[in-house]
Amino acid sequence: MGEETDYNPADWIDLFCRKSQAVKSKASRGRKQELSISAQETLGRRVAALLGKQVRHVWKEVGSASRFRRKGARTDQDQALAAVVKGEVGALWCYRLDRWDRRGAGAILHIIEPEDGIPRRILFGWNEETGRPELDSSNKRDRGELIRSAERAREETEVLSERIKNTKDHQRANGEWVNARAPYGLEVVLVETLDEEGDLYDERRLRVSAELSGDPKGRTKAEIARLWHTLPVTDGLSLRSIAERLSDEGVPNPSGTAGWAFATGRDIINNPAYAGWQTTGRQEGQNQRRRVFRDENGDKLSVMAGEALVTDEEQLAAKEAVQGEEGIGVPNDGSEHSVKAKHLMTDASYCESCEGSMPWAGTGYGCWKTKSGQRAACEKPAFVARKAAEEYIGKRWQDRLIHAEPDDPILIEVAKRYRAAKNPKTSEHESEVLDALARAETALKRVWADRKGGLYDGPSEEFFKPDLDEATERVTAIQSELERVRGGSNKVDVSWIFDPDLVRHTWERADEKTRRMLLRLAIDEIWISKAAYQGQPFDGDSRITINWHGESPARRRVKTRKLPSGKVVPLIRPQKGK
C-alpha cells in the first residue's frame, strides 16, 4: 500500500485566464492584441513556480465582461472564487485585475476579508523588477488598491455600456442596422449619406443578398427565406412541413449544417426586417422575438437599401397561415384551425432520453427531437402507438383511484381539481372565502392574545368587548358564506371518485376532451422510453413511468443549460409554492 500524504491547500494555486474576444476582428488587424489565454496560462504557471506552489486547476473564460455582468453569471470565475473561499486551494492568480471581474469590489471581498478568518490570497500579474505580484491580497498595502481598482473597473464598464447603448439607440432611430449580423437571406451594406453639417458618413443598411444557400437547386438564401413566407399560403404547409421539405432537399440551415427546425422559420416570418422595417432588437429579460421599431412619433422606419424581400401583406398572410406558437398550418380542407391540444397524452408526455416533450406524431406520440437534423437531436427518441399507450394509461388511472384508500391524499386532490375544473368560478370564490376566514380567525386570536398580554387592562378594559364582538361576528359571517358556497346550487358532485364502479363508468363514457381533463386530475407527467428494438411488443410497465399528483415523482424532469465552457449542467427548476 502506498503511503498517504496530507493535502495542504496552501501549497496549491489556481489560475484564472480570460480573454474578451473569441476571434480577432478585421478592424483590429495590425494593432496590439490582448494576451491570449494560453499566454496567460504560461505566465501563471511561471509565477506559481516562482512562488513555490503547484497549479491545481486552470479556469478559462472567453467573452466580454459586460456580457457576463448583464446576465449575472460567469461560471468559471464564480467557481474559481468559490474554490478559494471554501479553502479548496490557498491562492488564485489572474493576469490583470480587469481580466478578473468588472462587478466591483464585491467580487474580491470574500477573499480579502474571509468570514472564517483563514487567510486566502488573490494575486494579479507579476513584476519582474520587484520579483513579486503586481497586487497581492496578503499584502496590506495592496488591499486598498485592489478594492479601488475593482471599483474603477466597474465604473468604466458602466460608463462604456451607457455610451454604447446611447449610440445604438441613436443609430436605430436613424434607420441603421445595429446588429452585428444580418438576418438570413439579407446582408449589411454601407450607404454614404450626408449629416446635418454636410459631412459624409456611412450608414449600415440591409439589402437582399445574392449569396447562394448551398442547396442542390442553386437557390439563394433570399429565395429560401422567401419560401418560408409563401409556402404556408400557397401550399397550406405548416412550419414543420416546410422544415422537413428543406431538410429533405438538402438545403443547409442558417448555421450551414443539415436540417432545419420549425422555430427558425417562425423567427423568419416574424422578423420585421424581411418586410424592410427596423426592429427593436432582443431585449434582456423580455420577449425574445423582434418587434417593429417605432420612433417617437409612432412611425415605422425603413432599414433597407433597396426593395424589401417581402411586402407587409405577404408577411402578414404568412403569419396568419401558421397560427399558434408551434407553427401548425391551416388545414387543407378549409376547416377552422385550432392550436389547442386535443389528444389524450399531449403536453403531459416526455421522452425518457432527452426529457423533451412528446407531441402527437400522426399515429402516436413521438419525441419532438427525432429528426437527425435537429441541433440537439435525441439519441434515443421514444415513440409509442396511440392505442396501446392510451389504453395502458387509462387502465393505470382507473386502478390508481379504485385501489386508493378513502383517506388517500390523491383522492382529496382529484376531488379538489375536479370541482375546480367543473365550476372554476365557484372554486375560485371558495378559495377567496377560505383566505378571508383565515385572516378573520387570526384577528380573533390576536384580540385574545392582547387580552392575555395585558393590553386591555385598566382604562382599556372598555374596548375589549367591542373588539371581541367585532372579530367574532366577522368569523361567523365568513363561516356562513363558506357553508353557502359549498352547499349552494353550484355544488359539484364528486362522490363518483370514491366509487370503483363509477370511476370505470366515468372514464369509459367520457369523450376525448373529458378524458384529457380526467387524466390531469391525478397525473402530472408521463415518461416514455424507447423500445429495445423495432417491432417489440408494447410493455407499458417497462416503458412508461407516471408521476402522480401529491406523490414523490418517480422520474423528475431536469432541464439543462449549456455553460460558456460547453459543459451541459442541470438547470434547477424551483418547486411550486416555494
Side-chain angles (χ1 to χ4, degrees):
M1 295 180 63
E3 182 180 353
E4 293 186 1
T5 58
D6 294 331
Y7 173 78
N8 185 3
D11 297 334
W12 297 82
I13 187 172
D14 280 1
L15 309 180
F16 179 76
C17 307
R18 188 178 71 79
K19 191 173 186 293
S20 295
Q21 299 296 329
V23 295
K24 297 179 181 179
S25 64
K26 295 180 180 179
S28 64
R29 288 177 180 173
R31 301 178 185 177
K32 184 179 179 180
Q33 300 294 314
E34 60 179 307
L35 200 63
S36 67
I37 285 182
S38 60
Q40 292 179 38
E41 181 180 349
T42 300
L43 177 59
R45 291 186 179 276
R46 178 168 168 264
V47 170
L50 291 173
L51 294 175
K53 296 182 181 296
Q54 300 183 62
V55 176
R56 185 189 71 105
H57 186 79
V58 180
W59 305 93
K60 300 178 182 180
E61 276 185 358
V62 177
S64 69
S66 59
R67 176 172 65 85
F68 284 117
R69 182 175 181 271
R70 184 168 62 250
K71 291 189 176 180
R74 290 177 56 184
T75 306
D76 274 24
Q77 185 239 294
D78 292 338
Q79 291 179 352
L81 177 63
V84 181
V85 173
K86 293 177 180 178
E88 297 174 3
V89 66
L92 177 66
W93 177 89
C94 184
Y95 170 53
R96 285 205 315 254
L97 183 59
D98 64 350
R99 297 299 86 193
W100 165 248
D101 197 279
R102 295 183 182 177
R103 290 182 289 185
I108 59 175
L109 284 177
H110 291 295
I111 299 177
I112 296 177
E113 297 290 343
E115 295 180 359
D116 57 10
I118 301 176
R120 275 98 163 168
R121 294 177 70 184
I122 182 168
L123 310 97
F124 294 93
W126 184 260
N127 190 317
E128 295 291 350
E129 296 181 359
T130 62
R132 60 183 296 274
E134 295 285 355
L135 293 173
D136 185 350
S137 64
S138 65
N139 189 329
K140 293 182 179 181
R141 292 177 298 178
D142 289 347
R143 293 181 181 179
E145 181 59 28
L146 278 171
I147 295 175
R148 288 191 295 271
S149 298
E151 284 299 297
R152 283 198 298 270
R154 179 185 62 81
E155 292 171 0
E156 290 173 2
T157 299
E158 291 179 349
V159 171
L160 180 61
S161 298
E162 185 64 23
R163 289 176 179 173
I164 293 175
K165 179 180 181 300
N166 292 339
T167 299
K168 287 186 176 292
D169 288 345
H170 171 75
Q171 291 174 330
R172 181 173 283 112
N174 193 44
E176 298 183 55
W177 185 253
V178 300
N179 298 318
R181 295 185 301 176
Y184 178 82
L186 304 179
E187 63 182 3
V188 177
V189 294
L190 298 179
V191 179
E192 286 190 347
T193 186
L194 296 175
D195 62 14
E196 296 177 353
E197 298 178 356
D199 297 327
L200 282 174
Y201 75 97
D202 292 333
E203 287 184 348
R204 299 177 79 249
R205 299 278 182 165
L206 294 178
R207 74 179 178 192
V208 177
S209 173
E211 183 180 357
L212 294 176
S213 65
D215 81 306
K217 296 182 180 181
R219 290 171 292 189
T220 65
K221 290 184 176 180
E223 291 175 318
I224 300 300
R226 183 169 175 79
L227 284 177
W228 283 101
H229 289 86
T230 58
L231 289 178
V233 179
T234 59
D235 294 18
L237 295 182
S238 68
L239 292 179
R240 292 187 186 277
S241 298
I242 299 174
E244 292 177 2
R245 174 182 290 190
L246 294 178
S247 299
D248 294 341
E249 292 178 356
V251 182
N253 61 33
S255 299
T257 57
W260 284 76
F262 81 89
T264 304
R266 180 191 63 196
D267 291 342
I268 287 176
I269 67 172
N270 281 285
N271 192 337
Y274 287 102
W277 301 114
Q278 178 67 282
T279 66
T280 57
R282 301 187 180 188
Q283 305 298 323
E284 192 72 29
Q286 300 179 14
N287 193 314
Q288 292 296 295
R289 296 189 188 178
R290 302 189 187 280
R291 306 291 185 185
V292 175
F293 174 82
R294 295 182 181 274
D295 62 16
E296 57 185 10
N297 297 320
D299 298 327
K300 296 190 292 187
L301 299 176
S302 174
V303 74
M304 297 297 295
E307 294 185 359
L309 181 67
V310 296
T311 64
D312 286 339
E313 291 74 17
E314 288 173 326
Q315 189 170 64
L316 179 60
K319 291 180 181 179
E320 292 178 345
V322 289
Q323 301 174 48
E325 288 294 319
E326 297 191 2
I328 304 171
V330 176
N332 290 326
D333 59 5
S335 60
E336 185 178 352
H337 174 61
S338 173
V339 298
K340 291 184 178 180
K342 56 186 178 182
H343 295 94
L344 179 64
M345 296 165 54
T346 303
D347 69 25
S349 303
Y350 298 94
C351 175
E352 183 74 33
S353 174
C354 68
E355 300 187 348
S357 61
M358 292 183 61
W360 177 250
T363 58
Y365 303 92
C367 175
W368 77 276
K369 295 182 180 180
T370 300
K371 290 291 182 181
S372 60
Q374 291 286 350
R375 180 174 298 180
C378 179
E379 295 182 358
K380 297 180 179 180
F383 177 86
V384 64
R386 176 183 184 178
K387 185 176 186 296
E390 291 186 357
E391 286 181 353
Y392 175 81
I393 291 297
K395 185 177 185 304
R396 287 287 304 275
W397 182 89
Q398 295 176 62
D399 290 345
R400 183 66 182 86
L401 267 62
I402 289 172
H403 297 104
E405 296 296 330
D407 59 347
D408 193 318
I410 196 171
L411 295 183
I412 307 302
E413 184 66 20
V414 169
K416 178 180 176 182
R417 291 172 178 265
Y418 182 73
R419 187 184 295 113
K422 299 298 287 185
N423 200 338
K425 291 185 178 180
T426 300
S427 180
E428 182 179 357
H429 182 49
E430 181 181 346
S431 298
E432 294 174 353
V433 174
L434 286 172
D435 290 341
L437 179 60
R439 291 193 297 270
E441 289 176 339
T442 300
L444 179 60
K445 292 177 182 178
R446 189 180 301 116
V447 171
W448 281 108
D450 291 345
R451 174 64 180 269
K452 292 180 180 179
L455 296 182
Y456 287 101
D457 293 346
S460 299
E461 176 69 28
E462 62 179 298
F463 299 106
F464 171 66
K465 189 177 185 306
D467 290 350
L468 179 62
D469 291 343
E470 181 181 355
T472 303
E473 290 174 2
R474 176 65 175 164
V475 171
T476 303
I478 297 177
Q479 288 175 340
S480 299
E481 175 64 13
L482 182 61
E483 292 177 3
R484 186 191 67 81
V485 172
R486 289 178 170 176
S489 58
N490 292 326
K491 184 177 181 180
V492 177
D493 182 13
V494 295
S495 59
W496 65 270
I497 297 173
F498 302 89
D499 187 320
D501 293 333
L502 289 179
V503 168
R504 293 192 185 93
H505 178 70
T506 300
W507 180 267
E508 292 172 356
R509 68 184 179 87
D511 57 19
E512 191 78 0
K513 182 178 179 180
T514 304
R515 283 188 177 183
R516 276 182 54 83
M517 181 269 292
L518 293 174
L519 187 75
R520 284 150 184 78
L521 296 178
I523 293 178
D524 273 330
E525 296 173 342
I526 302 170
W527 291 89
I528 305 173
S529 61
K530 181 179 175 65
Y533 56 89
Q534 187 173 359
Q536 180 189 25
F538 176 76
D539 179 11
D541 292 337
S542 63
R543 292 190 56 197
I544 291 182
T545 302
I546 299 176
N547 286 348
W548 300 94
H549 281 315
E551 296 183 359
S552 179
R555 170 68 160 86
R556 187 183 298 278
R557 190 180 187 195
V558 181
K559 293 185 178 180
T560 59
R561 62 188 178 97
K562 191 174 183 180
L563 302 179
S565 62
K567 183 179 179 181
V568 178
V569 299
L571 178 63
I572 304 301
R573 180 177 59 181
Q575 297 181 0
K576 294 181 179 180
K578 293 189 177 181

